[in-house]
Amino acid sequence: MATAVELLPREYGYVVLVLVLYTLLNFWMAGKVGKARKKYKVPYPTLYASESDNKEAKVFNCVQRGHQNSLELMPLFFVLLLLGGVKHPCISAGLGLLYTVTRYFYFKGYSTGDPENRLAVGKYGFLALLGHIACTISFGVTLLLRG
């Protein structure tokens, strides 16, 4: 009997590596939030700075929000990447790489303190998610139609 790893396509390794890359991006963003906490004097466990207490609250809040938004979408991205990647590993890995790059630019743009800057490149991440949804639907339909 074959093991689960033997049943996966060889190219699924790309999917796994993209997942690790996104995880590293998330660690980097967390580090940037930590540095912003020190710079703008926002102590733990305060999630967002109050603009009435801190004149630079908006800039900190933008850094924090850029990371928080990435955390909010991470479970969705991971599930779609891993499931869609079973049937379409190269497409899913490519879409995952595109998504990861757009999240980097989303965070960098948001971190400027002007929320509109997150969208210059970051908005294209949703196209990657739509592609992941299509790959995952294809995988689900394949499972239902197999004989």
Side-chain angles (χ1 to χ4, degrees):
M1 188 159 119
T3 67
V5 172
E6 293 171 332
L7 294 175
L8 291 170
R10 179 176 176 264
E11 294 83 3
Y12 197 76
Y14 296 125
V15 172
V16 173
L17 293 176
V18 167
L19 186 138
V20 171
L21 179 65
Y22 189 86
T23 301
L24 294 173
L25 175 65
N26 182 53
F27 288 159
W28 175 79
M29 287 187 280
K32 291 293 188 183
V33 172
K35 286 182 181 180
R37 282 190 177 284
K38 290 177 185 168
K39 181 177 181 179
Y40 301 115
K41 298 175 179 60
V42 180
Y44 288 105
T46 305
L47 190 57
Y48 293 103
S50 170
E51 292 190 30
S52 61
D53 298 335
N54 186 332
K55 64 180 181 165
E56 297 183 286
K58 183 177 180 185
V59 178
F60 170 77
N61 289 343
C62 284
V63 174
Q64 170 67 7
R65 187 69 200 130
H67 183 232
Q68 185 67 33
N69 182 264
S70 295
L71 289 172
E72 291 164 1
L73 291 172
M74 191 165 62
L76 173 72
F77 170 59
F78 280 4
V79 169
L80 293 173
L81 173 69
L82 294 172
L83 289 176
V86 174
K87 182 172 182 194
H88 304 284
C90 292
I91 294 170
S92 291
L95 289 168
L97 186 59
L98 172 64
Y99 183 76
T100 302
V101 168
T102 63
R103 291 315 293 183
Y104 168 81
F105 285 106
Y106 182 94
F107 180 79
K108 288 292 284 184
Y110 221 151
S111 295
T112 64
D114 180 357
E116 289 302 312
N117 291 340
R118 75 194 194 281
L119 299 175
V121 175
K123 64 186 170 192
Y124 298 107
F126 287 100
L127 295 175
L129 286 179
L130 289 174
H132 280 296
I133 290 168
C135 288
T136 303
I137 289 170
S138 173
F139 175 54
V141 169
T142 298
L143 289 175
L144 291 171
L145 296 178
R146 70 180 178 185

